[in-house]
């Protein structure tokens, strides 16, 4: 895909990050390089260096981009669930998919393995803001549930399929457990969950 029109700096960054996201999903985190992204969007390596500084800078920006967009989607699903228009399972599936199908787990692991110690900062900040935006500052119950949900989703993305198979469990086992945990946590925090007895 070649970008012909002149883009603003912010538009150019966004196009590059969307290309990086596509590479991550299609080929894995090792494919998210300045050269590969530049080639995909018809820009020069130097142009991307200007925007991101290095491959590690590109990967960190991608982690932040993923975190912000995915957390916004999860927040919408949580609010819909609370309004009776969605379900806790949708929240679980979005979270697990963010780490698995969207490549968040592989990207974070790749960055950490390559010495990028602050790789998880954008994700952690976005999740913290999400939980704060959704309330429950007093009891902290949803902080505990969110912590466990994210750890489960990350673990499932990295080794869920072979582990479930080796234990003779259905592939959805971790998601099923996370859904029950989310419902129990919401009820404990006094949040009405559609279809559940309070």
């Amino acid at each position: 895909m070649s970008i012909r029109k002149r883009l603003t700096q912010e538009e150019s960054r966004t196009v590059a990050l969307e290309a990086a996201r596509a590479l991550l999903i299609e080929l894995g985190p090792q494919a998210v390089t300045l050269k590969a992204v530049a080639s995909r969007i018809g820009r020069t390596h130097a142009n991307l260096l200007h925007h991101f500084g290095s491959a590690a800078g590109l990967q960190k920006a991608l982690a932040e981009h993923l975190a912000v967009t995915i957390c916004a989607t999860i927040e919408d699903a949580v609010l819909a669930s609370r309004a009776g228009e969605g379900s806790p399972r949708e929240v679980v599936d979005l979270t697990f998919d963010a780490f698995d199908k969207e490549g968040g787990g592989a990207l974070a692991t790749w960055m950490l393995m390559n010495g990028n110690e602050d790789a998880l900062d954008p994700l952690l900040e976005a999740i913290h803001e999400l939980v704060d935006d959704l309330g429950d500052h007093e009891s902290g119950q949803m902080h505990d549930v969110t912590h466990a949900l994210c750890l489960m989703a990350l673990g499932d993305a990295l080794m869920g399929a072979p582990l479930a198979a080796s234990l003779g469990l259905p592939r959805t086992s971790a998601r099923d457990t996370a859904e029950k945990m989310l419902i129990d946590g919401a009820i404990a925090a006094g949040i009405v969950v559609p279809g559940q007895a309070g």
Side-chain angles (χ1 to χ4, degrees):
M1 164 176 102
S2 179
I3 307 299
R4 299 253 184 246
K5 74 172 198 161
R6 183 149 176 84
L7 301 176
T8 67
Q9 254 192 319
E10 191 56 38
E11 289 171 334
S12 188
R13 272 182 64 87
T14 300
V15 167
L17 289 171
E18 285 302 321
R21 184 178 189 171
L23 284 166
L24 172 66
I25 292 167
E26 293 167 22
L27 303 171
Q30 70 283 356
V32 181
T33 65
L34 292 170
K35 182 178 178 182
V37 173
S39 174
R40 183 161 283 212
I41 64 173
R43 295 287 193 226
T44 65
H45 184 268
N47 180 266
L48 290 187
L49 269 175
H50 169 74
H51 288 294
F52 302 105
S54 65
L58 169 64
Q59 292 169 354
K60 185 171 182 181
L62 176 58
E64 181 176 6
H65 178 68
L66 286 174
V68 169
T69 56
I70 290 166
C71 281
T73 302
I74 292 171
E75 182 173 7
D76 289 345
V78 169
L79 295 174
S81 178
R82 289 181 180 178
E85 299 166 3
S87 71
R89 184 54 177 243
E90 289 175 57
V91 175
V92 168
D93 286 341
L94 285 169
T95 304
F96 274 63
D97 288 348
F99 283 96
D100 190 10
K101 293 178 184 173
E102 295 290 327
L107 178 64
T109 303
W110 174 262
M111 291 170 68
L112 288 170
M113 287 175 49
N114 285 287
N116 193 343
E117 297 299 324
D118 58 354
L120 296 180
D121 289 353
L123 177 62
L124 299 176
E125 288 170 20
I127 291 169
H128 191 106
E129 286 177 22
L130 170 65
V131 174
D132 284 349
D133 287 350
L134 293 173
D136 186 48
H137 304 288
E138 292 78 27
S139 74
Q141 180 71 33
M142 291 311 292
H143 283 89
D144 292 339
V145 170
T146 302
H147 177 249
L149 177 62
C150 290
L151 289 176
M152 290 175 74
L154 175 60
D156 189 69
L158 298 178
M159 58 184 278
L163 184 58
S166 74
L167 295 172
L169 296 171
R171 179 63 184 99
T172 61
S173 181
R175 290 182 188 228
D176 299 340
T177 301
E179 179 183 15
K180 181 180 183 326
M181 178 195 67
L182 189 62
I183 291 169
D184 292 346
I187 291 170
I191 297 168
V192 176
V193 179
Q196 303 296 318

